[in-house]
Amino acid sequence: MLVRGIFYTIAIIVSFLLQTSVFEFLKLADTVPNVMISLVVCIALMRGSKEAVPVGFFCGLLIDIFYGNVLGQYALLYAIIGYVNGFFHRLYFEDDFMLPLVVLAGNAFVYDLLIYFFFFLLRGRLGFWYFLGSIIIPEALYTAIVALVVYRILLPILGKLAEREKRGVI
Amino acid sequence: MKYKRKKELSAKHVLSIFVAICVLLLAISTFAGNRIAFISNIAGVTIVPMQKGINSVGNGIVSWKDAKEENEELRKENEELNALVAALKMENQNLSQDTYKLKRLEELYKLDKKYSDYKKTGANVISKGAGNWFDIFVIDKGSKDGIKKDMNVIAGNGLVGIVYEVSDHYAKVRSLINDTSMVSAMVLSTQDNCIVKGSTETMNKGYLEVVYLNKDSKIKKGDELVTSNISSKFVEGITIGTVTKVEKSEDGLTKTGRIEPVVDFQHLKEVLVIKEVKETVVLDETIKE
């Protein structure tokens, strides 16, 4: 458990740094992929809600601390994302690539729609098609691609961790 | 999964615990924000140094790459500049004739207190907002360096934004082009007041909207927009941008326009913070700046 906790902490911090670094390693066509959401969803798929909820919470908390006006709003959102995606854990097989891809793109899409709805539409910014075309869809697609990379990196590490833990228990 | 782990905590329980923590945090930070300021200070001590490191590495790589490309560019630029010098010499002559006029006008407008008089401090941008929606960034100076809330941030010679939250070693800045930003401005030549509206949508097309201009205003293309004297948070006379378009608004009661900001918001690395907080009484709470 301890090793796993340390690993998650490092993963959260690294993805936060990647996503917010000023000079933008990952920028493509004016879009930065949502690395943190990829991390949360990947863990939800591979390990289920129980681990994704805390990881999501701390991801969101980090965003809250640095960019939010109040603590807790993004933490709540990310924790719920972790929980909901945990349901896909039952459908998940290690060799299946389609499910993660679809789930990840879908998540980025829904997440951006929510942000548009709560932070923009409610303030009377009506240019939905503009936001859809220039922010929401590019971010969803790009996030899905980056998420696959995150997924490929996490897969062997989490596998080994699980193995070690099993041995430790026995 | 449910059956297997029923003896331990189930996923639902984990979720409800964390949701409870979130709600608690929301409540505390809404009603007693100061009490949990230490959390952001802890984050500042741990994360900020990492961000600084990653930025210096990244900037190193970028500048090494840029140096090569720059050489060629510079040669071309040199030729162009030489041509420009000749043209500018002419212009300079004309301008010096205008100086006398300008002095008189400045006295008239009492605008001689330009922002060169304000005390400033430099800061590096170390991190930008997560996601593509808001233009928020973090600078590497905080309250220990004398930064206070509501201090104005400039870069080059134009307004960038305003500090909206301060920790010990870092501060958050909301930029002028942030979707929630509204800046009270005035036209330098005619002294008309107006509001510059931040917007993700229009900024991607290269301009910002100016609203609530008097319909009789004689504002025209090319005029300079500066922060106004009646702004509650921005010190007077900082350049915002130049007017590129003016038109009557749909209801015919006011004029609206477009401006092009002087600051390049795509490539912000170093900014200056004006160490002066405007002290005013807020008369109208509804206008948020």
Side-chain angles (χ1 to χ4, degrees), chain B:
Chain B
M1 192 184 75
K2 248 184 190 171
Y3 307 105
K4 213 164 60 185
R5 292 188 176 158
K6 218 158 191 184
K7 291 167 208 158
E8 311 166 24
L9 278 173
S10 80
K12 261 184 212 160
H13 290 132
V14 175
L15 180 72
S16 20
I17 291 169
F18 278 100
V19 168
I21 299 175
C22 286
V23 173
L24 199 69
L25 279 175
L26 279 168
I28 296 173
S29 57
T30 314
F31 298 114
N34 307 332
R35 303 240 174 102
I36 48 173
F38 72 91
I39 294 181
S40 35
N41 283 332
I42 294 171
V45 174
T46 53
I47 304 279
V48 166
M50 290 191 226
Q51 285 176 329
K52 278 184 192 166
I54 204 170
N55 280 328
S56 58
V57 172
N59 287 333
I61 297 168
V62 171
S63 62
W64 174 75
K65 209 181 82 189
D66 283 353
K68 279 186 177 172
E69 292 166 12
E70 236 174 59
N71 209 351
E72 184 61 27
E73 264 172 44
L74 281 176
R75 201 175 302 148
K76 264 188 206 160
E77 216 178 300
N78 194 17
E79 281 170 27
E80 279 166 29
L81 285 176
N82 275 333
L84 246 178
V85 166
L88 285 176
K89 264 184 190 160
M90 267 300 273
E91 211 180 311
N92 190 22
Q93 222 160 25
N94 291 336
L95 284 176
S96 56
Q97 284 169 6
D98 287 342
T99 315
Y100 172 70
K101 204 163 122 197
L102 179 73
K103 258 186 196 157
R104 197 168 51 86
L105 285 173
E106 268 183 354
E107 260 169 45
L108 207 62
Y109 291 145
K110 296 218 162 88
L111 254 181
D112 46 350
K113 195 187 170 193
K114 266 269 179 182
Y115 44 92
S116 54
D117 301 349
Y118 299 130
K119 245 193 181 170
K120 286 172 296 231
T121 175
N124 290 311
V125 179
I126 50 168
S127 149
K128 57 158 211 48
N132 300 306
W133 291 92
F134 295 103
D135 278 285
I136 294 170
F137 58 87
V138 176
I139 56 174
D140 64 349
K141 295 226 169 132
S143 55
K144 290 268 161 75
D145 308 289
I147 307 286
K148 290 196 193 98
K149 196 183 167 223
D150 287 344
M151 278 182 173
N152 298 172
V153 179
I154 59 176
N157 39 19
L159 183 68
V160 171
I162 192 163
V163 175
Y164 73 96
E165 209 177 307
V166 186
S167 274
D168 281 357
H169 297 290
Y170 70 99
K172 302 179 196 174
V173 179
R174 183 175 57 230
S175 83
L176 175 69
I177 60 174
N178 183 306
D179 218 87
T180 60
S181 145
M182 293 272 214
V183 179
S184 169
M186 69 181 170
V187 186
L188 196 56
S189 60
T190 64
Q191 303 286 291
D192 291 317
N193 286 304
C194 55
I195 301 279
V196 175
K197 248 167 108 175
S199 162
T200 319
E201 184 176 355
T202 63
M203 201 50 221
N204 278 356
K205 296 172 189 159
Y207 66 91
L208 286 177
E209 235 180 316
V210 182
V211 292
Y212 304 130
L213 265 165
N214 193 315
K215 72 177 193 314
D216 299 323
S217 163
K218 291 199 176 63
I219 177 176
K220 60 183 183 305
K221 206 177 147 183
D223 281 353
E224 195 179 337
L225 231 68
V226 299
T227 48
S228 88
N229 53 335
I230 59 163
S231 165
S232 55
K233 286 187 180 161
F234 290 97
V235 290
E236 189 182 336
I238 307 174
T239 310
I240 298 174
T242 45
V243 178
T244 55
K245 192 178 173 186
V246 186
E247 58 193 10
K248 272 233 170 83
S249 66
E250 279 161 22
D251 52 21
L253 297 174
T254 57
K255 273 183 176 174
T256 59
R258 294 176 177 185
I259 61 157
E260 197 189 323
V262 287
V263 177
D264 178 7
F265 286 96
Q266 293 285 327
H267 305 102
L268 276 180
K269 271 178 193 156
E270 290 101 25
V271 293
L272 292 171
V273 183
I274 296 179
K275 289 184 127 178
E276 200 162 316
V277 178
K278 192 162 183 175
E279 280 173 30
T280 43
V281 187
V282 179
L283 298 171
D284 189 354
E285 298 265 49
T286 55
I287 293 181
K288 196 177 142 199
E289 281 181 329

